[in-house]
Amino acid sequence: MSAPAVLRQQKTPLLPDINTSKISAQDRKVRSHTQKKSRPTTDNGQTSHITKDEISLYRNTQSQNVCVAMLREGFHHSFEELFFLLRRFEEARRAGGPDNPLWYLPSLQDQPDKLHTLQRHLTKAEVAFRAGNFVEVYEEQLTLARYFTGPGEDWLSLHFHQQALRSAQRVKLDGGRKEAEANANMARVFLEQGQLDLAKEHFEVFYRLSQERPWWDATGRTLQHCACEGLCVVYTQLAQGALQSQEYELAIEILNKAFSIAKEADDEEIQGQVAYWVGLANHCVGDLDTAKQYFSMSLNITTVLGDTENQGRAYKAIAKSLESDGKLAEAVQHLEKFAEVSRSNKQQENLEEACMSMGSIYSNRGEYDRGLEYLQQAYEIAKTVGNVGWLQRAQVCVGMTHAQRMLPSFSTHTTNATPDHIRRILTWKDRRQDTFD
Amino acid sequence: MSAAVNPLSNPKGGKKLCELCHKPAYLQCTKCRVTYYCDTAHQEADWLSIHNRVCQMLRPVRTPAPFHTLQADRDHHRAEIRKAQEKLISMSEEEARRWLFEGRCQEALPAARFCLRIAMETHGPNAVQLVPAYLLLAEANVGLGSLSLAEEYLSQAEWTVLKTPDCSGALRQQLHRNMGSLHNTTGNLDAALQHYANHVYYASEEYGLDSIITCGGYFLMASVFQKQNKIDIVKSLHKKVADSWHGHLSKLMEKRMKFSVHQTLSEVQRCEGDRTLTDLLEEQEKMNTSSAPNSTHCDFNSAHLLHCLAMLWSLAGSWTKALQFGRRALVEVQRVKDHELTAPIQQLLTWIETLPNTLTHTPAITH
């Protein structure tokens, strides 16, 4: 029996030698306790070295890997912030319920590139924080705030803007410029989200900080200028809201503030817009003289600037105020100019409105022909645009004017009651022409 | 207490093995008659550690089941045995933990081994309920210095946790904590950091970012970073730990002072808090003496820590220590001229001093 065994040993073995593996069985038993998972053997006996890190990368969730990586380097503030944000995201998703569109978006935990971006920037920010370099912290947080622009992420962006503001407030060496910029960012975010009061607060702080400071932003305008512009926008929106809820006094107060700021900023465009709104507010209150004053101011500015859209708006407003005043001729003049402007601007809606108003003024005054002219124009425009509401309105007005024009002759015919006249009335009723006589 | 037992006179096939070492047994406990030992040393050790508390409870568990004719009776008996076993597991776990707290690892070993054995009998050799027992054994062995045994137990625990994918976060964080401590002791700092990081992650998931357990994790990480000489990380972590403890203790103190609710810290937390805060205080004082005296925020931290310690001892009921720390804190705060902390410290001191005299004289430690 030993001869075949000897022979076998001299040839190269076909199969792997299982006897030798028995020798190291003791070794393997001892090793397996401690390295059970880190040395899996493949079929041909080669051991592949996979480290514990790689295994945990595969086994754990993405967010856990990122968190653990941050903690291992010692960045525990970044870890806390990331953990907190993930939790809040989940809660927001769950609170929305299946009706909320957030439910169908992938969770932040499942988006590895976003997690990695967060990790990178948060760790850089923490390093800078420990070194006391708050400018860099501010920059990193601002990058993160601008990175999150997807749906359902606006609160993330806002969170980072707030953090940026806090770090900007700790920057001591640049005279508060970063703080001002941070306030401006926050205010713009709030404006986008529609929270006008908060936006107003932050714009006011920005304005206060940037007064009299020679700072310029990327496009070459002074920061003070930007502050004024922002404030005016917020004020006009607030005033619009107040006008809609009929708090006229409040609206006027806000708008006067806005106007003074616009004047200070020395910007014609903003002044023109603010003047328009002031006039409107005064008009609503009933103070027509001041309204007209502001409207004419707005008109002048817009003509100078060549801003035809707002020019048209101004013309319309003046015409309306003149109309309510009773000065119809002037009103008509302005409406004609409005129509001209809208025609050149190809704004069909405005043109249609202008024609309708003029037509109605003329027909109210008794000048049915001219009135008809304009009303026909309005009808044509309504047809081309295809707006059913306008079409019907125009049809009604045209019909009314026709009828009113016909009325005197018709009534004389009926009162005369000669056979000739009656025959004419009957033929007219048969044929239903537009004109009578 | 003990009756002699001759291995030769045991019934055929019945081997009586020692509780502790599993060698043939020569002694029998006369109180319960179901526990055997190889010699008196083992018997005494076991009695001291765990047997004095579980002696009578072992009798129904270890005697073979009586013959019941009805299935209902048999089920009832099984349910009773199961309840007894669960109670034994929890009691032995508690005992082992208590020994480990007091630092007596040698006495903790029999208790932990007993816990493991009962858990194995109840739940099977691969169940997740064995993990706490494994962790206790590992901790005891680390305390005694037998690191290879500890490593073995911990790897068993890890394997069991791996096999149960729906294992709770609480268990996982404990496991990672112990593994981190082991690697820390053996000197493998990277692995220690990884395990501590996992521990903090799971603890934050289970208990929240500001809980004491997470803070404990941060403190352990700080010790590793100190060995690696990364001082700024250490400072940052220590500050975080101090702040969390301060917050937690302030909340408890407020409840205690306003509503006189006797919700004090558990023994575990008190011990841990004491250790952590005294270590931090020593660190601060070392830094204060070594670095320049114009770094004010270090002094702020030491006032902070003294306040924490005062609150801790007053919650634990040891009034003299609380008063001592409170007065020291007040002195520090006045030196640094920080006004935020003066009011709370004053409030605490007045509250302690105005307590009824009977309480201030007896330093009872409430649990």
Side-chain angles (χ1 to χ4, degrees), chain A residues 33-34 36-37 52-53 56 59 63-64 67-68 71-74 76-77 79-80 83 87 130, chain B residues 151-152 155 158 162 190 193-194 197-198 200-202 204-205 209 218 221 225 232-233 236-237 240:
Chain A
H33 270 299
T34 47
K36 239 175 198 147
K37 295 158 289 300
K52 270 204 163 173
D53 290 347
S56 60
R59 210 178 257 151
S63 54
Q64 185 175 357
C67 287
V68 169
L71 278 171
R72 278 176 83 172
E73 319 254 315
H76 65 104
H77 283 301
F79 160 71
E80 277 164 35
F83 196 77
R87 268 263 164 95
R130 280 200 215 130
Chain B
E151 208 177 320
E152 217 177 287
S155 52
E158 199 181 341
L162 270 175
D190 280 327
L193 269 181
Q194 193 191 13
N198 273 309
V200 171
Y201 178 75
Y202 283 120
S204 313
E205 280 218 327
L209 278 173
Y218 282 137
M221 281 179 74
F225 280 120
D232 47 351
I233 306 183
S236 168
L237 280 169
K240 166 82 190 153

Side-chain angles (χ1 to χ4, degrees), chain A residues 125-181:
Chain A
E126 187 156 354
V127 167
F129 179 80
R130 280 200 215 130
N133 183 0
F134 289 107
V135 177
E136 205 178 312
V137 179
Y138 168 76
E139 298 285 326
E140 294 292 332
Q141 286 168 340
L142 200 60
T143 350
L144 276 172
R146 293 211 179 112
Y147 177 74
F148 285 109
T149 48
E153 290 171 359
D154 45 349
W155 64 268
L156 264 174
S157 183
L158 184 64
H159 172 87
F160 281 115
H161 274 297
Q162 276 167 334
Q163 297 274 54
L165 181 63
R166 252 176 260 144
S167 5
Q169 280 167 345
R170 293 176 78 165
V171 172
K172 304 265 194 305
L173 293 179
D174 67 348
R177 178 185 175 148
K178 288 274 183 279
E179 192 181 339
E181 280 174 15

Side-chain angles (χ1 to χ4, degrees), chain B residues 6 12 15 34 65 72 86 92 151 202 221 224 289 296 323 326 346 351 362:
Chain B
N6 197 335
K12 188 170 177 178
K15 281 200 171 172
V34 288
E86 302 272 353
S92 52
E151 208 177 320
Y202 283 120
M221 281 179 74
V224 176
T289 47
T296 47
L323 276 175
Q346 289 277 22
W351 181 76
T362 54

Side-chain angles (χ1 to χ4, degrees), chain A residues 302 306-315 338 341 345 347 350:
Chain A
T302 47
D307 186 2
T308 41
E309 194 181 312
N310 290 327
Q311 202 181 16
R313 206 169 56 163
Y315 274 130
F338 179 40
V341 164
N345 236 7
Q347 285 174 325
N350 291 343

Side-chain angles (χ1 to χ4, degrees), chain A residues 196 235-252 254-255 277 280-281 284-285:
Chain A
L196 295 172
Y235 281 141
T236 39
Q237 287 202 356
L238 275 172
Q240 281 171 26
L243 280 176
Q244 275 178 350
S245 56
Q246 299 184 337
E247 293 168 355
Y248 297 127
E249 304 296 317
L250 183 63
I252 290 181
I254 298 175
L255 285 167
W277 283 108
L280 204 62
C284 293
V285 169

